[in-house]
Amino acid sequence: MITPMPIVVLISGSGSNLQAIMDACVSGKINARICAVISNKPGVYGLERAKEADIPTHCIDHTLFPDRDAFETKLSQCIDDYAPGLIVLAGFMRILGKAFIQRYQGRMLNIHPSLLPHFPGLNTHQRALDAKHRHHGCTVHFVTQELDGGPPVALSKLEVNPPETAESLASRVLVLEHKLYPTVISLFAEKRLYMEDNIAILDDEPLHAPIDITQIQTKKISQHL
Ligand code: GAR
């Protein structure tokens, strides 16, 4: 078994995805070790979850910096202290600049609450409802300079059931996120997944479309984990 990959997780909120990733590391479903959790917002519940699990935490409050560059310089110094193999954005709600993204290109993943390329940005659940989409869900992708537009790796989807609200969709999608993100992180930690020339590669094959994990039988998912 290869050495567990060191991971740094960036959050801005409640950290339910962080919790799913922590649990998957502890149970051995992901061959990785979360070496630090960093929030750009003070007092968020995700920091408590990490402390509870004895994971080092840092709060780097972006409002205390004169500009984006100063904030991101501090953020990358903090990340680099842990020499992570992967940076996981788990509900991290800051847009990142070019230099920062280039520094971690190919080793930074994000989860987004929509079926990309639909609805990059904010308010994804309400926008899916307004657009009367019959399916909605979440996508994990490599982070590149295009906002929520880096190479997608995997998605998970559900049927929109009227009368559905943005709130009901948000909580149903979160359940999918908690399975999807650990699955993808596990593939990366096993070095089966990487990015090359702006394309996601899985088991040495380019992913022309994201893996739909809702379509994979439980047995097959466990092979991925
Ligand atoms: C999740 O739904 C995640 O997909 C979303 O924030 C929520 C965080 O929840 N991320 C984004 O919108 C990023 N653009 P959590 O803090 O409970 O994991």
Side-chain angles (χ1 to χ4, degrees):
M1 187 159 182
I2 51 174
T3 315
M5 180 178 281
I7 290 180
V8 168
V9 183
L10 306 190
I11 61 166
S12 303
S14 115
S16 68
N17 276 287
L18 166 68
Q19 186 72 55
I21 298 161
M22 290 191 310
D23 293 348
C25 288
V26 168
S27 72
K29 285 181 180 166
I30 300 177
N31 185 27
R33 180 176 58 86
I34 301 179
C35 42
V37 172
I38 307 174
S39 171
N40 67 310
K41 279 197 173 176
V44 295
Y45 186 53
L47 287 170
E48 296 308 313
R49 295 182 192 265
K51 282 179 197 155
E52 188 72 23
D54 284 328
I55 294 170
T57 58
H58 301 269
C59 179
I60 303 176
D61 181 348
H62 65 277
T63 64
L64 303 179
F65 291 82
D67 54 34
R68 187 192 302 278
D69 277 357
F71 165 66
E72 289 179 2
T73 299
K74 178 74 183 167
L75 183 59
S76 58
Q77 281 166 355
C78 186
I79 292 171
D80 293 349
D81 280 347
Y82 293 95
L86 176 67
I87 294 100
V88 170
L89 306 186
F92 184 70
M93 304 305 280
R94 293 296 296 166
I95 291 177
L96 294 164
K98 190 174 169 185
F100 185 91
I101 289 173
Q102 266 172 357
R103 186 181 189 88
Y104 303 110
Q105 190 108 314
R107 54 189 180 110
M108 184 153 60
L109 291 170
N110 181 44
I111 190 158
H112 184 74
S114 78
L115 296 174
L116 291 169
H118 295 296
F119 317 124
L122 299 174
N123 302 320
T124 57
H125 308 301
Q126 189 58 53
R127 286 158 67 203
L129 286 175
D130 293 346
K132 301 201 181 336
H133 279 206
R134 286 187 51 218
H135 292 99
H136 184 50
C138 47
T139 311
V140 175
H141 64 94
F142 281 102
V143 177
T144 62
Q145 280 164 44
E146 201 185 331
L147 178 66
D148 299 324
V153 176
L155 62 84
S156 187
K157 66 184 176 200
L158 49 72
E159 238 172 72
V160 179
N161 297 325
E164 189 103 61
T165 63
E167 290 70 31
S168 67
L169 266 185
S171 57
R172 290 178 66 213
V173 169
L174 261 184
V175 174
L176 301 182
E177 293 186 34
H178 298 161
K179 190 173 218 172
L180 178 66
Y181 218 178
T183 303
V184 174
I185 292 167
S186 164
L187 294 172
F188 189 92
E190 288 169 15
K191 302 197 189 315
R192 290 172 58 191
L193 171 71
Y194 55 96
M195 186 177 89
E196 200 172 76
D197 296 335
N198 228 39
I199 296 172
I201 314 275
L202 178 62
D203 294 335
D204 296 325
E205 298 286 340
L207 280 174
H208 296 298
I211 312 160
D212 181 351
I213 78 153
T214 24
Q215 300 294 320
I216 301 176
Q217 301 301 312
T218 315
K219 202 170 121 229
K220 201 103 182 274
I221 290 174
S222 65
Q223 281 169 5
H224 280 287
L225 284 173

